[in-house]
Amino acid sequence: MALASTTIQASHLTRRLPASVLAATLAFLVALLLAAPARADFGFVTIWGGPGSGPGQFETPTDIVFDSLGQAYVTDTFNNRVQRFDACHEYVGEWGTLGIGEGQLNAPLGIAVDDQDRLYVADTNNNRIQVFDPSGQVIGGWGGFGVGPGQFRLPFDVAIGADGNVYVADTDNNRVQVFDPSGAFLFAWGRFGSGNGQFDAPFALAPAPDGSVYVADTFNNRVQEFNSAGAFVRKWGGFGQDDGKFRSPRGIAVDSNGEIYVADTNNGRVQVFDSTGAFVRKWGSFGTEPGQFEFAAGVATDPRDDVYVAETYPNSRIQQFGEPQPTLADLSKSVAALGLSGGTANSLNAKLRAAEDALARGQENAARNNLAALASQLEAQSGKGIDAEAAAALVAMTEQVSTALACQ
């Protein structure tokens, strides 16, 4: 089906349609840090935003990505801008105004970031992709209205594949187009229909670390999986409210473990699947309370595999879900579990005690400095006095504790 017009309107986004110690240590760290599939402690973390046009407010946010510094970028669709937030979700800046000129936007929906922190924005009503640096300076772009290679009719989403290529959900053309990072057209697949590899308004896509590409085939109420060359692999879903069924899924993301998160928009929930499409779990219901959704349009994951849901009108907010951040006490227990002795143990414990003392005095910066020194020592001891995998896990844990202190 073709969308009702070649311009995205609010109705497109809001209508609802039919060595024993070491072994024990590693097991503990993996469970705590690496998001084991069960994720028993997974739940609501925080929320930010709300309706409006001021800094940190949104008028239909639809997508979110994270750069290498942990900064978040949100497409604030009907404010025609991208907003940037620091790792604590505090407003940093924004760019974009309504228009057709370079750097201007018209209902931007999707956003992606590559390994060089270049930001690719699906400038939907302008039928193009614009590329920005983190400060919002335009550094590239391509597109234009049409049905030919490299042209678009309402590109709703953009994502970066494991191969570094740029994948675009060319929604009203019912296809996926693939480009190199400079915007040179490579290939495309899909056409209107309900058969394998066909689409009825693909709203979102998510390349996986293994090269697979998952597409939210919105009005077919399903997810389709393809390989990196666009060959059909499998599909799942169908219209309904049961587990594994969908009503107009509009967002999709893949975490580092290969789990797939789908914004099941008109069922007011997020569903999670394994890489084969088997249902794993779900959460959410209609409403305005934390953990509820009025219109979950976008879903994304951060490097820690926390999950972020972008809600459009009327909630116009971002919700974060995940496991509790590790504390300084957790970190101390993890270091103790290594069973070290002698100078290395004394040095690590001294840094932990110094961090604890600084925190008790309310000196968060001093505590973070001691944690940075701890991380440096762990890295230096990696593969020497401390197993490399355990050291890497402890460094990651130390950084998480430090970030949590910074955001208090």
Side-chain angles (χ1 to χ4, degrees):
M1 109 178 219
L3 295 181
S5 71
T6 55
T7 301
I8 183 66
Q9 305 291 343
S11 59
H12 289 136
L13 297 175
T14 60
R15 61 187 174 128
R16 293 181 178 168
L17 305 174
S20 61
V21 171
L22 179 58
T25 301
L26 291 177
F28 173 80
L29 291 171
V30 166
L32 185 61
L33 296 173
L34 303 183
R39 306 197 76 178
D41 295 328
F42 185 92
F44 173 81
V45 175
T46 191
I47 196 167
W48 81 90
S53 58
Q57 296 179 317
F58 303 112
E59 186 60 44
T60 305
T62 50
D63 204 4
I64 180 171
V65 293
F66 300 87
D67 67 14
S68 63
L69 299 177
Q71 297 183 113
Y73 301 81
V74 179
T75 46
D76 187 7
T77 300
F78 293 132
N79 280 324
N80 300 292
R81 64 185 179 183
V82 173
Q83 294 197 64
R84 178 160 59 113
F85 301 85
D86 66 17
C88 301
H89 311 323
E90 296 293 330
Y91 174 85
V92 174
E94 64 185 71
W95 71 84
T97 58
L98 176 63
I100 62 174
E102 186 177 90
Q104 293 185 306
L105 301 167
N106 191 343
L109 288 177
I111 189 168
V113 63
D114 67 13
D115 59 6
Q116 298 181 49
D117 285 343
R118 294 177 296 206
L119 294 145
Y120 299 75
V121 177
D123 187 8
T124 303
N125 274 356
N126 284 328
N127 294 292
R128 64 186 179 184
I129 302 297
Q130 292 200 72
V131 188
F132 300 87
D133 69 17
S135 70
Q137 295 298 308
V138 178
I139 56 176
W142 66 90
F145 179 80
V147 299
Q151 296 179 316
F152 304 110
R153 293 199 306 164
L154 299 181
F156 271 37
D157 199 15
V158 58
I160 308 300
D163 53 10
N165 289 330
V166 183
Y167 293 73
V168 179
D170 187 9
T171 303
D172 206 29
N173 278 327
N174 291 294
R175 65 184 179 184
V176 173
Q177 294 199 65
V178 186
F179 305 85
D180 73 14
S182 70
F185 174 82
L186 298 176
F187 60 95
W189 75 85
R191 59 186 176 87
F192 172 73
S194 58
N196 294 343
Q198 298 178 330
F199 301 113
D200 190 351
F203 272 43
L205 45 75
D210 67 358
S212 302
V213 180
Y214 298 91
V215 180
D217 188 8
T218 301
F219 295 157
N220 278 326
N221 296 291
R222 65 184 181 183
V223 171
Q224 294 196 69
E225 178 188 349
F226 303 87
N227 67 19
S228 59
F232 174 83
V233 176
R234 63 172 61 88
K235 63 186 177 186
W236 68 89
F239 181 81
Q241 295 175 289
D242 295 337
D243 294 347
K245 299 293 186 181
F246 303 111
R247 293 200 305 157
S248 301
R250 280 166 163 78
I252 192 165
V254 183
D255 71 14
S256 63
N257 298 308
E259 285 196 326
I260 302 151
Y261 298 79
V262 180
D264 186 11
T265 306
N266 290 340
N267 279 324
R269 64 187 180 184
V270 174
Q271 294 197 69
V272 189
F273 303 87
D274 69 17
S275 59
T276 69
F279 174 83
V280 176
R281 61 187 179 277
K282 65 184 177 184
W283 75 88
S285 61
F286 285 113
T288 60
E289 297 299 315
Q292 295 183 318
F293 311 110
E294 276 300 311
F295 206 87
V299 61
T301 60
D302 68 11
R304 189 173 175 259
D305 284 337
D306 279 6
V307 180
Y308 297 75
V309 180
E311 293 184 79
T312 65
Y313 180 85
N315 289 343
S316 286
R317 63 188 183 182
I318 305 294
Q319 293 197 62
Q320 178 186 355
F321 302 86
E323 294 174 332
Q325 287 277 6
T327 66
L328 190 53
D330 294 326
L331 180 59
S332 296
K333 291 177 183 177
S334 299
V335 172
L338 290 173
L340 299 173
S341 61
T344 298
N346 292 337
S347 180
L348 292 174
N349 289 328
K351 293 177 175 66
L352 283 167
R353 285 194 300 272
E356 290 167 352
D357 291 344
L359 190 59
R361 296 191 300 269
Q363 298 173 344
E364 293 175 0
N365 286 338
R368 296 183 69 214
N369 288 338
N370 282 290
L371 290 174
L374 176 70
S376 296
Q377 183 176 354
L378 288 167
E379 289 174 337
Q381 293 291 319
S382 177
K384 300 173 185 176
I386 303 175
D387 176 84
E389 186 175 353
L394 280 168
V395 168
M397 188 178 193
T398 302
E399 292 172 348
Q400 290 168 17
V401 172
S402 182
T403 297
L405 292 178
C407 295
Q408 287 183 346

